[in-house]
Amino acid sequence: MPVTQFKNCRILRDHELVREDLWVENGRIINPEELFYVQKRPPAFQVDCRGSIVAPGFIDVQINGGFGYDFSFDEDKTEEAVSVVARGLLAHGVTSFLPTVITSTPETYRKVLPRLNKRPGSEDGAGVLGAHLEGPFISREKKGAHPVQHIRPLEKGFETVKEVYGCLDNVAMVTLAPELENACDAVEGLTERGIVVSTGHSAGSIMDGERAFKSGARFMTHLFNAMTKFHHRDPGIIGMLTSKRLPLHELYYGIISDGIHTHPAALRIAYKTHPNGLCLVTDAVAPMGLGSGRHHIGDMDVVIEGERALIEGTDTLCGSIVTMDGCIRHFMHSARCTTVEALEAASLHPATALGITAQKGTLEYGSDADFVMLSDDVFVRATYIAGRQVFAAPGQAFIHEPVQ
Amino acid sequence: MDLRVLESVQRRWTKRVTGMSGLNYRARLRVLNQYSVQGLPRDHPESYHSYMWNHLFKHIDIHPENVNLLDGTCSDLEAECARYEAKIAEAGGIELFMGGIGPDGHVAFNEPGSSLVSRTRVKTLNQDTIQANARFFDNDISKVPTRALTVGVGTVMDANEVLILITGQHKAYALHQAIEEGVNHMWTVSAFQQHPKTIMVCDEDATLELKVKTVKYFKELWSVHSKQIDDPVAFESTRHG
């Protein structure tokens, strides 16, 4: 199969940006020494990356919609929603994502879930790794924007989970409140099915969180938002970040780094406390990706002003409209972390949390060739999935020169 | 041989070579390597394959078919050496040999006591070399390979041009033996005194054991040398004049 050599770039490898070429064959990243010494083949194409940073494609594990579509609300247009969002995300460097469905009815889940099939990425859009079901097993006190009438308890633990959601085949992640009765049974059941359980929308204590972790929960949903406020005598589940009872290297957490939903100081505290577990998420809503001005989405009138989406006529935020690359830039600016740390927070960490680092989240030999070419200030120049260019920013042309 | 010596020089040489000839996959450049340590697999980070990939091959567009390395893992080492000599002959002989030396004046792995007319063969490494290499094998002497395949002194003498790189004070005495003392198989690099086209590239520290007179002489040739660097084509025509 023809080999493409991406030259003149700095790639993210082994937690560093190194001046190395990236070699791709048949949708995967390959070891050039093996190609050179054993197969004795030259590349068929070379691409001059013009000094770009090459990072693994970004992975968004929490996104409710975008470009005018909402995965929970547009239950009759699921395929269209996924298609439009997946395509739009390519411009943000996202190559894989978890379409997120908020607290809904069993009827909605039965309609929507079978249509949220896992699928690989392509020119048509970022890949779907599975659905993220955020709710309905959450705390009524910490519902955020979720519809309170559909929040429900876990009467029979995991049995209830199966009854409410229906088929779990397309589910990659579930957010639930760990303090609910029978939560641990639900956590165990889900974890056994290979579904990542995340604690969130919770009024629970640190011990509730630890119990859930011991049952298999590995993630936390948008740290700080919709959870017990941190108090120095009662840290809530936020305290899990420093729990002496947990193997912290296995705990991951999402954080919305749009400069609005999390105060920069809070972001810094999380970063300094447990940097390796930090995963950037957008938690983006339907207006994301639409231009400034007024939009009618679902049954809401929304006004986009700069980086904020407000319910028309009010000062109330109606959710995040940040892009993943925007999150990375905000994170670097607020946390004053390195470029490598910020890029890993959008790729390696979510991939590790999902247990898919063999294929995604890194540029190691053998992994899928999903990557992003970035400028030094982390703006997306081009996005590649399985080694093929699926997005190029205006004015950015990376030509595949055939080797003579 | 101190592999690190070659690094920065190779980098600059690579830049020059790729700049000058616009080296591409059609280029007729063929590379043959000096030696290979026995038993080390190709993908070992300390193998010569790894070294050459990281320091030269990955930076230039060379067709893999034009690269030849001695295979230290094959079962019949003598046959491998013979194959290599045949490969050199088939390529039309060596145009340019480029290498460094050890503190004991060895070139490639032609340890002190090697025949000055030797060909590509298996050599047992001496204690100094094994000690020096231990750091690449977790400082475990028992893990360090004891034999290597190497081109012979005679093989290198057949090259059209010989370029030896000698830097650092620890090589100074070897440089003295190389050019101020006689041809001696205990300092195998001295054999190149009898080669028509040898260049030895040194830094100041490497000259510390030379006579002041010797160093002055070569330094005063700088104007001649610099013409060769700035305009090799014009230099060539004046040289033959």
Side-chain angles (χ1 to χ4, degrees), chain B residues 1-85:
Chain B
M1 177 182 132
D2 185 348
L3 299 178
R4 306 290 137 100
V5 165
L6 281 174
E7 279 178 30
S8 71
V9 180
Q10 271 189 355
R11 236 178 279 134
R12 269 185 262 129
W13 177 80
T14 303
K15 266 203 191 133
R16 281 193 67 74
V17 168
T18 49
M20 267 166 58
S21 61
L23 211 61
N24 58 31
Y25 286 95
R26 283 223 209 98
R28 302 260 315 135
L29 179 78
R30 274 155 159 216
V31 176
L32 297 109
N33 262 60
Q34 302 172 37
Y35 63 78
S36 177
V37 177
Q38 188 215 359
L40 220 51
R42 172 196 64 77
D43 53 5
H44 190 287
E46 300 300 338
S47 76
Y48 212 42
H49 288 78
S50 299
Y51 180 82
M52 288 307 295
W53 170 259
N54 283 308
H55 291 104
L56 181 61
F57 300 140
K58 78 180 181 191
H59 302 286
I60 62 176
D61 289 344
I62 185 168
H63 198 293
E65 302 263 313
N66 284 336
V67 168
N68 302 274
L69 274 82
L70 279 163
D71 179 5
T73 60
C74 67
S75 45
D76 188 345
L77 296 176
E78 273 76 28
E80 172 65 7
C81 294
R83 177 195 75 85
Y84 207 66
E85 285 280 338

Side-chain angles (χ1 to χ4, degrees), chain B residues 138-155:
Chain B
D138 302 321
N139 280 313
D140 184 349
I141 284 281
S142 66
K143 286 200 185 125
V144 184
T146 56
R147 301 206 298 168
L149 306 178
T150 180
V151 294
V153 183
T155 316

Side-chain angles (χ1 to χ4, degrees), chain A residues 126-156:
Chain A
V128 174
L129 297 172
H132 176 173
L133 300 183
E134 190 188 6
F137 310 109
I138 57 174
S139 159
R140 301 177 85 85
E141 286 170 54
K142 298 293 180 187
K143 63 179 174 56
H146 290 219
V148 65
Q149 66 274 26
H150 300 313
I151 294 175
R152 55 175 71 225
L154 288 160
E155 290 114 352
K156 292 179 271 167

